[in-house]
Each structure stands twice: as C-alpha cells, then as structure tokens.
Amino acid sequence: MDSIRAEIISIGNEILAGYTINTNASYISQELMRIGLPVGWVTTISDEHDAIMHALDTALKRAKAVLVTGGLGPTPDDITKKTICEFFQTEMVFNAEVFEDVQNFLRTRGVDLNRANRDQALVPAAARIIRNKMGTAPGLLLQKNGVYFFFMPGVPAEMKYITSSFITDFLAKELRLPEVHNRLLRTTGIAEAKLYERLKDILDLYPDCQVAFLPRHIGVDLRFRLISNEQKDIHRLEQFVKAVEERAAKYIFTDRQIELEERLGEILVEKNLTLAVAESFTGGLLSSMLTDVPGSSRYFLGGAVTYSNESKMRLLNVQEKTLASHGAVSEETVLEMVSGVQEHFASDCAIATTGIAGPTGATPGKPVGLCYIAARYKQKTAVRKFHFGTDRIINKKRGAVAGLEMLRRLLLNI
Amino acid sequence: MDSIRAEIISIGNEILAGYTINTNASYISQELMRIGLPVGWVTTISDEHDAIMHALDTALKRAKAVLVTGGLGPTPDDITKKTICEFFQTEMVFNAEVFEDVQNFLRTRGVDLNRANRDQALVPAAARIIRNKMGTAPGLLLQKNGVYFFFMPGVPAEMKYITSSFITDFLAKELRLPEVHNRLLRTTGIAEAKLYERLKDILDLYPDCQVAFLPRHIGVDLRFRLISNEQKDIHRLEQFVKAVEERAAKYIFTDRQIELEERLGEILVEKNLTLAVAESFTGGLLSSMLTDVPGSSRYFLGGAVTYSNESKMRLLNVQEKTLASHGAVSEETVLEMVSGVQEHFASDCAIATTGIAGPTGATPGKPVGLCYIAARYKQKTAVRKFHFGTDRIINKKRGAVAGLEMLRRLLLNI
C-alpha cells in the first residue's frame, strides 16, 4: 500500500438495512479513478456519534482524502455535523452566505423556509463551504493532519454535483496527482475468454500497458490506463489501443461512455434512417431501451409487442401457415415479423425477436433460452439463432442487445 | 450500541473501482434484518493481506457475526484463504469432500477440471465447510473469541445460496435471536408526506409499534417490525397493521414482497382476463415490466409502441382529426389509443400512455412531464392527467406504474 488512496464513508441506516443500494460509492470511485486517485476503502456506518468518530479516526490514519456522504439532510436528528465539530475541534456557526443560498434555492422552487432549512446554514467554523446548486445542504471541506475530509449530502444528484464541480479538480491539484490517461473500448457479441484469446499476442507485445477486461451482461468493456506525462508513453498507449481496436473492430461499438442503443441512434441519425421493432422474446425491452435515449423520437417510429400468435398475424402479417408448420419460435417466423413491422411502420430499418424467455415454456426441441433475431435494412436482412440461458430477465436483456448489435453491423456493413 | 450487530466485509477491487455496485451487501443486510440481526457496518476493501487482516481484526472487536464476500474465486492470485489461515492461526488442508463436490459440479456442466478448480478443495483446517451447490468455492465458517466469521464467494447466486440455505438459520439459532415479526404493506399513487398525514392518528395510537416509511420511485413501502414472543404484543401488531391497511386501502397493492406488475398479473389470472397496452410516453417500458413476470403470456397479449402520429393512426385507429385538433398529448388521443389497442388485440383490458417524457419536446401549454394515461376494462374507462418531473427515465417508470395502478383500481372497483 505505497500509493496514496482515498476512503469513502457512507452514513445511512437505509443502506445498512439493505433497502438502498450504495450507488453513491460506485460513482465516487469511478470519478476518483479517473483522476488517478484509487479508493482503498468504502465504509458504511450508521448515523451514530461513536460510529462516525471511529470511522473518521480510522480513515485519518490510512487515507489521503476522505469523502463522506449522508447525514447532512434537513432532518433534526442528524448528528453528523455535531460529530464533525467534535472531531475537528471546531464549533458550529451561522453562515450568512449559505443561508442566502438556501433561501434562493427554496424561492426558485416556490417552497417556504422552515426551521430545518434554516439549520442548514449552521456549519462548522473551520469548514470551507462547497456550494450545492442541487439542494439546501452545502458541501464541507475540512483538513486534519494533512488529510482532506469532504462531507456531502447523500442525495445522488447533490453528491454528484459537489464531486464533479469541486472535489475532483481540487484533489487533482492539491495532491499533485500524476497525469492519468484513460481509454475505453466497449465491445459486445464476444465472450471475455474469446476476446482475451483474440487479443493475447497484442497484450504480450505491450506488457508495459495496462488494460482491464470488465464483463457486463451486454458485453465486455476494455479499460486502458496509463499514469505518465512522458510523450513517448502516451504515444505507446495510443498505439496499443489502436492495435486492439483493429483486431477487435467488429465487436467494438464505441470508445465513449455510451450504451449500444445510443450508438445505434447516432448511426441512424447520421444516415437519416428510421427504425421500428417487433418483439416477442424481448417483450418490449428493446423499445424501452431505444426510447431511454433522449431525442430517440427522431428515428424510432415505434414497435409491436406480439406475445400471442393472433397478434403476430394481425399486427405483423405473419402467415398462419408459417406459425402452424414452423412454430412461433423459428427462423421463418422472425423473418416474417421483421418484414411485417418494417412494412407496417414504413421504416427503413427493423429488428424482430422471438424465442422462449423462460423459466417455463420449453417444448421438445425448443429449450428455454432459444431465440431467433432478425435485423433488416431496406432489402437486406440478417438473421441469427441464439442459445441464451435460463434467467428470464437476463435473456430479455441479451436478446435486445443482440438485436441492436445485428442492426449496427448491418448498417456499417461489418 | 447495546444490541448485537453483524458486519459485512466485501473484498473486491471491482467494487472499489466503482465498476461493480455492491448489491451483495444489500441482499445480506435484508436477510439479516429479517431474522432480527441488524448490520452495523459494511466495509469494502481490496484483495490485499494487510487490508484483510485489519478489517477482520476491527470486525472482531465490534460485531457478533461477520459475513465476508469475495476473494474466494478460482484465480490464483486470491490471497484471502491464506490470510484467513493466518488470522485464525490454522493451516490449509486438502478436503476430499469439497473436492468431490467440485468434481460433481463441473461434471454436470461438462467442464474439465483444471488446477485452479483443484485448489478450491484447499481449505483452512479449522473451518467448518458450508456446501455451495451453485459454484465451486465452498463457504467457510470459523470462530474467534465467540464471533462467527462466514466466508463466501462474491458471485451473487453463490452468496445468496450460502446465506439463505445456511447462515440465517444458523445465526438465528446460535445467537438465540429474539423472534422478529415483519409485516409489509406496499403502496403506490400517494406521496410519503400525504401517506404520513393520512396515517398520523393511527401512528399516535400505537406509539409502541414500529413502522418505517420507505419511499421508492414507484411508491412507498411500509415496513412493520416487532421483536417479541409475547402473544399480546403480536396481537397488537396485527391490530396496528390492520388499522393502517383499512385507512390506506386504496393505495396498498400487496402485503408481500412482489411488484405491482406481478400483483396485477395475479388479478388478471384470477378473473381470467387478457391485457394489451398502447405506449407512447412509456416507450415500451410498460410492456417490458409486464413481460418481466414469468408466465405473463397467460394474460398479456401484447402492445403497440406508437412513437409517431402515423403509427398511432395506423396501429391504433387514432383519428387524424383528433391528433390535429387536440394533439398527440391529450385526453382525447389517449382515449382513442386505449380503445384502439383493446380492439386490435381483442383484449378484455387495456392501458394507454401519451405525454412528453423529456428532457426536450415541450411545446407552449404542454411542458415536459405532462402525461395522459387511460385504463380500460371491457366498456369502463378511467383517464387521468399527470404532471411528472423532467427526468426521462424516472418519468417512464412513473408513467408505467401509474397505468398499472389505474387498471388495478378499475378491476377491483376501488
């Protein structure tokens, strides 16, 4: 443990009780990683004097920066601020500037000031105030034995604002963190082990370059990282990334922190194309993922979720004889679905899915996880058969992503 | 801090780096809460000797039970087991029974045994083995100074299996935990403050009974909790729950740990009814939530996602003049959508949504977050106008839940 590290302390009984998942810690970790300050410890404790004192004291001994979330809300029983004063041997004072911020914040929302809001302006005298445009509790910065302590509210939007508008820049500068160069390549449609095999000889050629394989349900992220400000090192990182990019070109959908549905949306906008989808296996998830993207109404015309044979015939013109002779889960059916939805919506592109999402519904020769997916761009069609697993929710996700990816490749001709 | 508490230690660099969210801790917390053993601390550390030793030592001093996840995988660099041996002053031994379990596990999956798998059978001599049917790494139980330490793999399915098949029962018995009585009422369609107001006089009548208000995006959970084995206390809890249930009947959709879409599915099955949905505002999410439920094909026929005016006309028979005079986001349009989809799918019930999900798309008089939702059961229709917020993803979720709830109330005539 030579390198300097940060510690995150999450204060909150809802997290300890398990009702709230600690996504704040994950956000802060990623932000600090980005500036080259790894997190060594995440500690979750209750809103109690002894627990807070002990956690601050432990962190003081091992971390260089400590980011504390929670316990600063407007509820009267929050004892975090009192404990902060004790730990830093300072006293609570009324801060007029904070009070003005609180008043302004409430005024723009048409909310009346109450006693609890007024108390937000009471802050430890030794603290530097970090303004919080997203709420009424300010961020606080205190120092002890050369360690920086930041206190923030636990509300995600407020924590994110304070972290990204102040803390990361402050720490990068004050701790003179070395330059970090991060690169990202997001892949889909290839398993981690297969991807590793494909890249192995390149990895061997660049033993000095770091890359992490991070599997997600929808694919594998490659995260490259270099700590150096030497021009030749940076150049070598670029070469390494380029070599990986060329070798795995087909599977890489972006080098940015965006999802596949956003990337596909960008391609559709660039090419001025429209899209419609027909879903059985994915049950609406494909549409929902596409419409999660702001502005998707520019290219997404809509979709049909056809969970019954009747609806496949009525909405998508799937032929009764196709269903009778090949079944709803078949290549023949998915091909009629994809043409049918393209025609109905008069769209340039279409995606269709049919299969057995599970956990029940298997028939002889058609196991749970069997899925047919088709993508269509004007008159060109791609169709594939997949064998996913037995988890219904994961199957839907994998099917939706496979459909998006098939259309992406069809549009880019790869 | 009088009561006994548990500590969770999560070992894992992916969690510290922020790429993996610590959902394991949330699962374990809820399971322990259920048996009346609250978690006092969650500590996340890296897979390093010093960090593990320090965390175990700290936990030993304050917790009665310590649940450790991660660091037991088949990768050769895991040093957790070696550190365990040092902390408990024991040695690593080959365990033939574990080896047999590993072999059997791999055989049923058609995987060959490798060196790393064989190493899974090396376990600390002092450990009691907890069998793991979901993977190759067994769970371990060790004791020191009367504190129970459990070690489990970090893979969620394996952690869950070991926790629920062994640890909770073991701890309830060994620690002689008092009887805990948990009750749950899940509400939707009423804000936390409003619900509190509605229930206030009942809460005042039962100051001895504990209830927690837990807001979620889709509603507020009421969690009741009583630690006692006195018959009269249990009776009083039941009375309290019943009083709350009667007062908030309209908003309570279940007293079990299920979601609204599952509850609606049960009602549809009970009444032998079918459902189809027409989605603009919710963009497919409503269908996707409905099809997340296993067996939903029994009642869910399908849906139309109509993101364009053309598709509303073509798929749902919305009249061109309705769109021209009232706009796509209007009560008139949503009423035609809900009838149109009911007719097209020949379903008993239907839900339709239209609105401006945001963050862009507002027009004069029609702000972001404006949404019309209709539910229909045979010839009866309910329609409502909503003003949601500006977050697209949360808007979709709230719209979908509002639609499900409107149909639930229509079907139950409440």
Side-chain angles (χ1 to χ4, degrees), chain B residues 273-334:
Chain B
L273 298 172
T274 57
L275 170 65
V277 302
E279 305 188 63
S280 180
F281 187 75
T282 47
L285 178 63
L286 188 48
S287 288
S288 189
M289 285 168 68
L290 285 162
T291 62
D292 277 351
V293 181
S296 46
S297 56
R298 284 169 72 186
Y299 48 84
F300 183 61
L301 302 181
V305 182
T306 53
Y307 239 49
S308 62
N309 279 349
E310 290 68 33
S311 60
K312 285 184 185 73
M313 293 188 283
R314 204 189 297 225
L315 275 85
L316 303 172
N317 286 337
V318 174
Q319 299 301 300
E320 191 165 7
K321 66 168 193 288
T322 308
L323 291 167
S325 48
H326 302 284
V329 180
S330 64
E331 185 173 314
E332 290 77 5
T333 296
V334 84

Side-chain angles (χ1 to χ4, degrees), chain A residues 42 44 288 291-292 303 305 396, chain B residues 42 44 288 292 303 305 392 396:
Chain A
V42 180
T44 305
S288 189
T291 61
D292 276 350
V305 182
K396 283 176 64 181
Chain B
V42 180
T44 305
S288 189
D292 277 351
V305 182
R392 184 178 182 86
K396 284 177 62 181

